[in-house]
Amino acid sequence: MKVENKLTPNVMAMAGFLVGDTKSTIRMVNLLKFRKKASYEDGRKTDLSGREAYAIYAKDVSTIHLPKVGGKIIFSGIVSRLLIGEVEDIWDMIAIAEYPNKKAMLKMISDKDYRESEKHRSAGLEGQLNIETMDVTK
């Protein structure tokens, strides 16, 4: 199994995002790998670590952007170790965000204020896996 962290979804992943059930609640599992030092696309100078830059983004998302679309963070934690399986490099943090549906998530990430906050995410992350999940217990 090849595992490759990325910062953004590819064209095929986004094209398939609104296929199928668009009305049910989704939970996005985020496996996050931080840069040692934040690196902003606009070239701004910073002493922030990747984790610190991402923390700015995470605060904005949890207090502003998710509530706007009816979403919320349902879990966030530092990865301490891998118990089962093997990967070359373990992730630093896991966060799970809940959205009322796929359209709510798309609305959030399309918002101009969100895109401003997202600059901190991109500066802080080396890459991530973003796994879409739906509740099967209902």
Side-chain angles (χ1 to χ4, degrees), residues 44-116:
R44 73 180 81 170
K45 299 292 183 201
T46 183
D47 291 327
L48 295 174
S49 68
R51 186 182 301 272
E52 291 167 331
Y54 186 84
I56 296 168
Y57 164 79
K59 181 180 179 196
D60 286 354
V61 166
S62 65
T63 62
I64 301 167
H65 306 303
L66 278 168
K68 265 195 217 179
V69 298
K72 62 185 175 183
I73 296 294
I74 59 173
F75 176 80
S76 171
I78 302 298
V79 173
S80 55
R81 67 188 181 100
L82 189 62
L83 183 62
I84 297 175
E86 293 181 30
V87 293
E88 286 184 25
D89 197 14
I90 196 164
W91 294 271
D92 298 315
M93 185 176 188
I94 294 174
I96 303 174
E98 181 177 275
Y99 300 86
N101 53 54
K102 292 179 183 183
K103 289 180 180 178
M105 182 180 167
L106 196 56
K107 180 178 179 182
M108 183 187 87
I109 64 175
S110 299
D111 182 82
K112 70 176 181 64
D113 293 332
Y114 169 84
R115 288 193 310 273
E116 191 62 34

Side-chain angles (χ1 to χ4, degrees), residues 114-129:
Y114 169 84
R115 288 193 310 273
E116 191 62 34
S117 296
E118 196 281 331
K119 291 176 183 177
H120 299 291
R121 175 189 164 278
S122 293
L125 286 180
E126 186 178 304
Q128 76 177 84
L129 296 184

Side-chain angles (χ1 to χ4, degrees), residues 20-37:
D21 183 353
T22 59
K23 293 180 174 50
S24 295
T25 300
I26 62 168
R27 292 180 183 94
M28 298 302 285
V29 178
N30 299 269
L31 304 178
L32 308 167
K33 187 69 180 166
F34 299 118
R35 298 176 195 261
K36 288 185 190 275
K37 182 171 173 36

